[in-house]
Amino acid sequence: FGPTVDVILSKLFPAGFAWQLASSITKADPSSASFALTTGLGEATGVLGGHILYSIIQGAMTKTSVDMDSTIQTAALLATGTICSGCSWQPVVNALQSMDLPFYAVFAGTWIACTFAFNFGLRVARNLYSASMVAVEEPTFDNGKSDFHLSLTIGAATAFFVATDSAYKPAENFLLNVVGISDTDSVIKACLLAGLSTALGFGVAQTLFNILFPVGKCW
């Protein structure tokens, strides 16, 4: 469970926090491509910066050297996957909510869509980066399975992020009182709740994987 906590602190919480921060900064309409791109890039920046900063802090605390080349290359791989899922999130949620689907359907649909979006980004990144980045393994059948396992847990994070929308079918939102963001919340509170939602979603899904899969068999 140690790596799970590391991933939550270094990438999942920063991802949700940065997405929400980008959404509060941009003046673009939430239904526009500009909004989707801005928030997706914001989220990817959170993952990129969070991974690098956490690695530096962890190295300083444990008094171990940090391979910055490897750290940056791994961060680039994960950030590329995040761009795809982060940019997809708002359009996917908008489309599902426009059909007046139950909260649970929007939750599940977002999980599925963003799982495949993140996985697509990872596989593209492996093809693009593996030739020049030694820390990024070229696409193989084995890392294809591990990439998809990781993508499923990232999809869970995006699904829990749906619960931050306190205006959509609040009576059905089982996480409303935990991560729901209201119009009266400050920017920093909204960002903290957003980060909590993605951290919680990943944590729940990854904990199930940790129980179901032998050690070393899940990404």
Side-chain angles (χ1 to χ4, degrees):
F1 288 90
T4 299
V5 175
D6 287 340
V7 173
I8 288 173
L9 294 176
S10 64
K11 290 171 277 290
L12 270 298
F13 182 86
F17 188 101
W19 190 102
Q20 187 64 35
L21 181 61
S23 74
S24 69
I25 294 172
T26 182
K27 303 300 181 182
D29 186 277
S31 63
S32 68
S34 177
F35 183 91
L37 181 61
T38 300
T39 51
L41 290 173
E43 184 175 358
T45 301
V47 170
L48 183 74
H51 180 80
I52 294 171
L53 182 61
Y54 188 83
S55 297
I56 293 172
I57 294 173
Q58 192 175 48
M61 291 180 65
T62 58
K63 297 181 179 181
T64 57
S65 61
V66 177
D67 184 343
M68 288 307 299
D69 285 343
S70 177
T71 297
I72 292 171
Q73 290 169 16
T74 300
L77 170 68
L78 297 171
T80 303
T82 304
I83 289 174
C84 294
S85 57
C87 290
S88 300
W89 188 88
Q90 191 67 62
V92 167
V93 172
N94 287 346
L96 296 174
Q97 289 184 347
S98 70
M99 292 184 276
D100 197 34
L101 296 175
F103 172 82
Y104 303 98
V106 178
F107 182 93
T110 303
W111 189 333
I112 294 168
C114 288
T115 289
F116 283 98
F118 184 84
N119 190 68
F120 172 79
L122 279 186
R123 303 310 286 174
V124 169
R126 287 195 183 281
N127 279 283
L128 292 176
Y129 303 156
S130 57
S132 58
M133 296 184 180
V134 295
V136 178
E137 187 181 26
E138 66 181 7
T140 65
F141 178 75
D142 286 340
N143 65 35
K145 291 188 295 183
S146 61
D147 281 354
F148 192 71
H149 290 158
L150 175 60
S151 298
L152 281 170
T153 59
I154 299 301
T158 68
F160 275 62
F161 193 38
V162 173
T164 60
D165 183 359
S166 58
Y168 188 77
K169 299 190 182 298
E172 300 176 5
N173 186 345
F174 61 95
L175 291 167
L176 180 65
N177 294 325
V178 180
V179 297
I181 298 173
S182 70
D183 293 337
T184 59
D185 287 337
S186 65
V187 171
I188 186 63
K189 181 179 179 181
C191 291
L192 290 171
L193 287 170
L196 176 61
S197 72
T198 50
L200 186 61
F202 176 87
V204 169
Q206 188 58 53
T207 296
L208 291 175
F209 274 14
N210 290 343
I211 294 171
L212 295 173
F213 288 86
V215 175
K217 292 297 183 180
C218 183
W219 62 267

